[in-house]
Amino acid sequence: MKQMHAILAALRGLLRQTGATLGLGFLGLIVLIAVFADLLPLDPLGQDFLRTLEGPSRDYWFGTDELGRDILSRVVFGARTSLVTAAGAVTIAALIGVPMGLIGGFFGGWRDAVLMRLVDVMMALPAILFAMALIAVFGRSQGAALLAVGITGIPGFARIVRAQVLTLRKRDFVVAVEAFGGTASYNMFRTILPNSWSQILVQVVVLSSVAILLEAALAFLGVGVPPPTPSWGEMLRTGKSYLHEAPYYAVLPGIVLTLTILAFDSIGRGLSRLIENPRDAALQGSLK
Amino acid sequence: MIAFIGRRILQLIPVLLIASVGIWAMLYAVPGGPIGVIVGENATPESIEAARREFGLDRPVAVQYADWLINAVRGDLGASIHSREPVFDLIMDRLPATLQLAVAATIVALVLGIPVAVISAMYPGGWADRILSGWSALALGVPTFWLGILLILWFAVDLRWLPSVSQHVAIWADPAVALRNLILPAITLGVYVSGVIARFLRASLVTELNADYVRTVRSKGLTEGAIMRLHVLPNALLPFITIVGLMMASFIGGAVVTEAVFTYPGLGRLLIQAINTRDYPLIQGCIVVILVIYVLINLTVDILYAYVDPRIEYA
């Protein structure tokens, strides 16, 4: 329940900021479109060889691609690929990273040393290289892209949660639970974790934008979600080959991708502003 | 100082060792192993056995790793499966192109990023600050590869001023041609990095502008411009050096993508080609070299930081 409360409070705080409100609005639209894509009169795979690489028209609002497929449909279904990859990746990163940070910060000592060295190593490699290396091993599939992006997000969660645990560890309410005989796991998951939700939420938003960018970048490099599944990065990759014949092909999916990333970014910055300036009169009481 | 440098180098060893095990073990996590790629799909048990012996895969795992590591330290990263050329030579062939791109992009990033940070920090909350903060958000949010595509569309397809495919020409061989080939990739990569610079440097400048010494020099009658140039900027650049280390990861990632956009013959393109052809020794080699460059830059940044800031003790 505490998570729900934190999310609702954050939402109220965000809606008082223009940038974050715009971000939430655009993102809401993209999520709606991705969820209800099947109900729309769209066909991302149907080919029309008589009408390839056409410009925007009444029949095809965003034009057609090299196989005569409707680019608008592919952008809409690409949103689904993007959001599913991001959601899956963030879940993987949080499920592994949060316990790592909790255990490292709570126990300290050798557990902390081992876990943080692991985090150091993961951070020693740029995320995109790490993801490419994993895909080189697992082969190219949506699952591999999701897993690769997710693993690169683990250090972020581990570090943020660990820092939060370290500041809470010696606080009276945590020591009190310990004094009353609360077990370490009770203390970690029931006392400390609920007080870290706002930080975790910010990380979820930040990582979502990174995940969408990374998924698109991998697809653009030709190692992401394999065709014919529509993906924004893949569309930019193909569109790049037809810049002379069909300039809009690489431009329109890029606009949607950029706006989605900017939306997550503005929400993330809005949330951090809420946490950093709790005294700000306009935002008072909206987030702990 | 020497003890400090020595200790920082020692700290790197465990990280590099774990990473090297990871990179080496990559080969063994591949379904079917690297042998599957070498012998192809219709291999007989005999040819598989022969290939295993040729690549030394029939020896104990620990021996194989030790062997690989010792060779790698000596600069022998094995041979490419496809071209059979030494991986080290293939990489050294491409490295100058990537370094030239990196230097050019850094110049673009500094030229764009520092003025943006200075102006928005001098008038915090004002219209210039709002516009420039929006600009740095845009620089960070627009995917590098899309910005590259837009630049190609505009400057190569529309205006026909610059090539859409960039060759590597050494800057000292033919500066004019080298610049023509370098401008678009350098802007593509540099704009993103300038966003990082602008955001962090602005924060650092704002903190410094509120320091007591600024009030003192202001009361002595110095102009705002002189305060910024002589006092605030040098002080703010100090913490900023550490940001350079953090920036390197996104810089390298951005370079890989930028090279793909402009079909630029650098290390990043070599890595992508290696992944697409499942050339595992080449993949390992590229990642090892990039990792070593990354670690060395971070080490240099740490040492530089300790050197320029006398408040840091290296005892």
Side-chain angles (χ1 to χ4, degrees), chain B residues 90-106:
Chain B
L90 288 173
I91 291 173
M92 283 305 137
D93 228 30
R94 300 292 193 98
L95 199 55
T98 296
L99 291 181
Q100 186 164 308
L101 171 62
V103 170
T106 307

Side-chain angles (χ1 to χ4, degrees), chain B residues 296-314:
Chain B
L296 284 182
I297 291 173
N298 268 307
L299 179 69
T300 317
V301 166
D302 274 8
I303 294 170
L304 196 69
Y305 189 46
Y307 184 72
V308 291
D309 190 348
R311 285 169 298 192
I312 292 178
E313 291 188 21
Y314 0 91

